[in-house]
Coordinates of all heavy atoms in Angstrom, one line a residue:
Chain J
I172 N 68.5 89.8 111.3 CA 67.1 90.0 111.7 C 66.2 89.1 111.0 O 65.3 88.4 111.6 CB 66.7 91.5 111.5 CG1 67.6 92.4 112.4 CG2 65.2 91.7 111.8 CD1 67.4 93.9 112.1
K173 N 66.4 89.0 109.7 CA 65.5 88.1 108.9 C 65.7 86.7 109.3 O 64.7 85.9 109.4 CB 65.7 88.3 107.4 CG 65.3 89.7 106.9 CD 65.3 89.8 105.4 CE 66.8 89.8 104.9 NZ 66.8 90.2 103.5
A174 N 66.9 86.3 109.6 CA 67.2 84.9 110.0 C 66.6 84.5 111.3 O 66.3 83.3 111.5 CB 68.7 84.6 109.9
T175 N 66.4 85.5 112.2 CA 65.8 85.1 113.5 C 64.4 84.5 113.3 O 64.0 83.8 114.2 CB 65.7 86.3 114.4 OG1 64.8 87.3 113.8 CG2 67.0 86.9 114.8
S176 N 63.8 84.7 112.1 CA 62.5 84.1 111.9 C 62.6 82.6 111.9 O 61.6 81.9 112.1 CB 61.9 84.7 110.6 OG 62.7 84.2 109.5
L177 N 63.8 82.1 111.6 CA 64.0 80.7 111.6 C 64.0 80.1 113.0 O 63.9 78.9 113.2 CB 65.3 80.3 110.9 CG 65.4 80.6 109.4 CD1 66.8 80.4 108.9 CD2 64.4 79.8 108.6
G178 N 64.0 81.0 114.0 CA 64.0 80.6 115.4 C 62.7 79.8 115.7 O 62.7 79.0 116.6
Y179 N 61.7 80.0 114.9 CA 60.4 79.2 115.2 C 60.7 77.7 115.2 O 60.0 77.0 115.9 CB 59.3 79.6 114.2 CG 59.4 78.9 112.9 CD1 58.8 77.7 112.7 CD2 60.1 79.4 111.8 CE1 58.8 77.0 111.5 CE2 60.2 78.8 110.6 CZ 59.6 77.6 110.4 OH 59.7 76.9 109.3
A180 N 61.7 77.3 114.4 CA 62.0 75.9 114.3 C 62.5 75.3 115.7 O 62.6 74.1 115.9 CB 63.1 75.6 113.3
M181 N 63.0 76.3 116.6 CA 63.3 75.8 117.9 C 62.4 76.4 119.0 O 62.9 76.7 120.1 CB 64.8 75.9 118.2 CG 65.4 77.3 117.8 SD 67.2 77.3 118.1 CE 67.6 78.7 117.2
S182 N 61.2 76.7 118.6 CA 60.2 77.2 119.5 C 60.6 78.5 120.1 O 60.3 78.8 121.3 CB 59.8 76.2 120.6 OG 59.9 74.9 120.1
L183 N 61.3 79.3 119.4 CA 61.7 80.6 119.9 C 60.6 81.6 119.8 O 60.0 81.7 118.7 CB 63.0 81.1 119.1 CG 63.6 82.4 119.6 CD1 64.4 82.1 120.9 CD2 64.5 83.0 118.6
P184 N 60.1 82.2 120.9 CA 58.9 83.1 120.8 C 59.2 84.4 120.1 O 59.1 85.4 120.7 CB 58.6 83.2 122.3 CG 59.9 83.1 123.0 CD 60.7 82.2 122.2
E185 N 59.6 84.3 118.9 CA 59.9 85.6 118.1 C 58.7 85.9 117.2 O 57.6 85.2 117.3 CB 61.2 85.5 117.4 CG 61.5 84.3 116.6 CD 60.6 84.0 115.5 OE1 60.6 84.9 114.6 OE2 59.8 83.0 115.5
I186 N 58.9 86.8 116.3 CA 57.7 87.4 115.6 C 57.0 86.3 114.8 O 55.7 86.2 114.9 CB 58.3 88.4 114.6 CG1 59.1 89.5 115.3 CG2 57.2 89.0 113.7 CD1 60.0 90.3 114.5
T187 N 57.7 85.5 114.0 CA 57.1 84.5 113.2 C 56.3 83.5 114.0 O 55.1 83.2 113.7 CB 58.1 83.8 112.3 OG1 59.0 84.8 111.7 CG2 57.5 82.9 111.3
L188 N 56.9 83.0 115.0 CA 56.2 82.0 115.8 C 54.9 82.5 116.5 O 53.9 81.9 116.4 CB 57.1 81.5 116.9 CG 56.6 80.3 117.8 CD1 56.9 79.0 117.1 CD2 57.1 80.4 119.2
K189 N 55.0 83.7 117.0 CA 53.9 84.3 117.7 C 52.7 84.4 116.7 O 51.6 84.1 117.0 CB 54.2 85.7 118.2 CG 55.2 85.7 119.3 CD 54.6 86.0 120.6 CE 55.6 85.9 121.7 NZ 55.2 86.6 123.0
A190 N 53.0 84.9 115.5 CA 51.9 85.1 114.5 C 51.3 83.8 114.1 O 50.1 83.6 114.0 CB 52.4 85.9 113.3
Q191 N 52.2 82.8 113.9 CA 51.8 81.5 113.5 C 50.9 80.8 114.5 O 49.9 80.2 114.1 CB 53.0 80.7 113.2 CG 52.7 79.6 112.2 CD 54.0 79.2 111.4 OE1 55.1 79.5 111.9 NE2 53.8 78.7 110.2
V192 N 51.3 81.0 115.8 CA 50.5 80.4 116.8 C 49.1 81.0 116.8 O 48.1 80.3 116.9 CB 51.2 80.6 118.2 CG1 50.2 80.2 119.3 CG2 52.4 79.7 118.3
A193 N 49.1 82.3 116.6 CA 47.8 83.0 116.6 C 46.9 82.5 115.5 O 45.7 82.3 115.6 CB 48.0 84.5 116.5
A194 N 47.6 82.2 114.3 CA 46.8 81.8 113.2 C 46.4 80.3 113.3 O 45.4 79.9 112.7 CB 47.7 82.0 111.9
N195 N 47.1 79.5 114.0 CA 46.8 78.1 114.1 C 45.3 77.9 114.6 O 44.7 77.0 114.1 CB 47.7 77.4 115.1 CG 49.1 77.1 114.5 OD1 49.2 77.2 113.3 ND2 50.0 76.9 115.3
A196 N 44.8 78.8 115.5 CA 43.5 78.6 116.0 C 42.4 78.8 114.9 O 41.5 78.1 114.9 CB 43.3 79.6 117.2
S197 N 42.6 79.8 114.1 CA 41.5 80.2 113.2 C 41.9 79.9 111.7 O 41.0 80.2 110.8 CB 41.2 81.6 113.4 OG 42.4 82.4 113.2
Y198 N 43.0 79.4 111.4 CA 43.5 79.2 110.1 C 43.6 80.5 109.2 O 43.5 80.4 108.0 CB 42.5 78.2 109.4 CG 42.6 76.9 110.0 CD1 41.6 76.5 110.9 CD2 43.7 76.0 109.7 CE1 41.7 75.2 111.5 CE2 43.7 74.8 110.3 CZ 42.7 74.4 111.2 OH 42.8 73.2 111.9
N199 N 43.7 81.6 109.9 CA 43.9 82.9 109.1 C 45.4 83.1 108.8 O 46.0 84.1 109.2 CB 43.4 84.1 109.9 CG 41.9 84.1 110.0 OD1 41.2 83.5 109.1 ND2 41.4 84.8 110.9
Y200 N 46.0 82.2 108.1 CA 47.4 82.2 107.8 C 47.8 83.4 107.0 O 48.8 84.1 107.3 CB 47.9 80.9 107.2 CG 47.9 79.8 108.2 CD1 47.0 78.7 108.1 CD2 48.8 79.8 109.3 CE1 47.0 77.7 109.0 CE2 48.8 78.8 110.2 CZ 47.9 77.7 110.0 OH 47.9 76.7 111.0
I201 N 47.0 83.7 106.0 CA 47.4 84.8 105.1 C 47.6 86.1 105.9 O 48.5 86.8 105.8 CB 46.3 85.1 104.0 CG1 46.1 83.8 103.2 CG2 46.7 86.3 103.1 CD1 47.1 83.6 102.1
E202 N 46.6 86.4 106.8 CA 46.7 87.6 107.6 C 47.9 87.6 108.4 O 48.6 88.6 108.6 CB 45.4 87.8 108.5 CG 44.1 88.1 107.7 CD 43.4 86.9 107.1 OE1 44.0 85.8 107.1 OE2 42.3 87.1 106.7
A203 N 48.2 86.4 109.1 CA 49.3 86.3 110.0 C 50.6 86.6 109.2 O 51.5 87.3 109.6 CB 49.4 85.0 110.6
Y204 N 50.7 86.0 108.0 CA 51.9 86.1 107.2 C 52.1 87.6 106.8 O 53.2 88.1 106.7 CB 52.0 85.2 106.0 CG 52.1 83.7 106.5 CD1 51.5 82.7 105.8 CD2 52.8 83.4 107.6 CE1 51.6 81.4 106.2 CE2 53.0 82.1 108.0 CZ 52.3 81.1 107.3 OH 52.5 79.8 107.7
L205 N 51.0 88.2 106.4 CA 51.0 89.6 106.0 C 51.6 90.5 107.2 O 52.4 91.4 107.0 CB 49.6 90.1 105.7 CG 49.3 90.3 104.2 CD1 47.9 90.8 104.0 CD2 50.3 91.2 103.5
D206 N 51.1 90.2 108.4 CA 51.6 90.9 109.5 C 53.1 90.8 109.7 O 53.8 91.7 109.9 CB 50.9 90.4 110.8 CG 49.5 90.9 110.9 OD1 49.2 92.0 110.4 OD2 48.6 90.2 111.5
I207 N 53.5 89.5 109.6 CA 55.0 89.2 109.7 C 55.8 90.0 108.7 O 56.8 90.7 109.0 CB 55.3 87.7 109.6 CG1 54.4 86.9 110.5 CG2 56.7 87.5 109.8 CD1 54.6 85.4 110.3
F208 N 55.3 89.9 107.5 CA 55.9 90.6 106.3 C 56.1 92.1 106.6 O 57.2 92.6 106.5 CB 54.9 90.4 105.1 CG 55.5 90.9 103.8 CD1 56.1 90.0 103.0 CD2 55.3 92.2 103.4 CE1 56.6 90.5 101.8 CE2 55.7 92.6 102.2 CZ 56.4 91.8 101.4
I209 N 55.0 92.7 107.1 CA 55.1 94.1 107.3 C 56.0 94.5 108.5 O 56.8 95.4 108.4 CB 53.7 94.7 107.7 CG1 52.8 94.6 106.4 CG2 53.7 96.1 108.1 CD1 51.3 94.8 106.7
I210 N 56.0 93.6 109.5 CA 56.9 93.9 110.7 C 58.3 93.8 110.3 O 59.1 94.7 110.6 CB 56.6 93.0 111.8 CG1 55.2 93.4 112.4 CG2 57.6 93.1 112.9 CD1 54.7 92.4 113.5
Y211 N 58.7 92.8 109.6 CA 60.1 92.6 109.1 C 60.5 93.8 108.2 O 61.6 94.4 108.3 CB 60.4 91.3 108.4 CG 60.5 90.2 109.4 CD1 59.6 89.1 109.4 CD2 61.5 90.1 110.3 CE1 59.7 88.1 110.3 CE2 61.7 89.1 111.2 CZ 60.7 88.1 111.2 OH 60.8 87.0 112.1
L212 N 59.6 94.2 107.3 CA 59.9 95.2 106.4 C 60.1 96.5 107.2 O 61.1 97.2 106.9 CB 58.6 95.4 105.5 CG 58.9 96.3 104.3 CD1 59.9 95.7 103.4 CD2 57.6 96.5 103.5
I213 N 59.3 96.8 108.2 CA 59.5 98.1 108.9 C 60.8 98.0 109.7 O 61.6 99.0 109.6 CB 58.3 98.3 110.0 CG1 57.0 98.5 109.2 CG2 58.7 99.4 110.9 CD1 55.8 98.5 110.1
I214 N 61.1 96.9 110.4 CA 62.3 96.8 111.2 C 63.6 97.0 110.3 O 64.5 97.7 110.5 CB 62.4 95.5 111.9 CG1 61.3 95.4 112.9 CG2 63.8 95.4 112.7 CD1 61.3 94.1 113.7
C215 N 63.6 96.2 109.2 CA 64.7 96.2 108.3 C 64.9 97.6 107.6 O 66.1 98.1 107.5 CB 64.6 95.1 107.3 SG 64.8 93.5 108.0
S216 N 63.8 98.2 107.2 CA 64.0 99.6 106.6 C 64.6 100.5 107.7 O 65.4 101.4 107.3 CB 62.7 100.1 106.2 OG 62.0 99.2 105.3
L217 N 64.1 100.4 108.9 CA 64.5 101.3 110.0 C 66.0 101.1 110.2 O 66.8 102.0 110.3 CB 63.8 101.0 111.2 CG 63.8 102.1 112.3 CD1 63.0 103.3 111.8 CD2 63.1 101.6 113.6

Side-chain angles (χ1 to χ4, degrees):
Chain J
I172 293 170
K173 291 189 289 191
T175 59
S176 67
L177 296 171
Y179 81 89
M181 44 184 164
S182 324
L183 186 73
E185 45 64 62
I186 304 162
T187 310
L188 185 89
K189 293 251 178 165
Q191 204 151 23
V192 168
N195 281 344
S197 57
Y198 296 100
N199 286 341
Y200 287 111
I201 301 282
E202 288 84 350
Y204 292 147
L205 255 180
D206 285 329
I207 305 171
F208 186 93
I209 292 166
I210 291 176
Y211 282 116
L212 193 63
I213 293 172
I214 298 179
C215 291
S216 309
L217 199 66

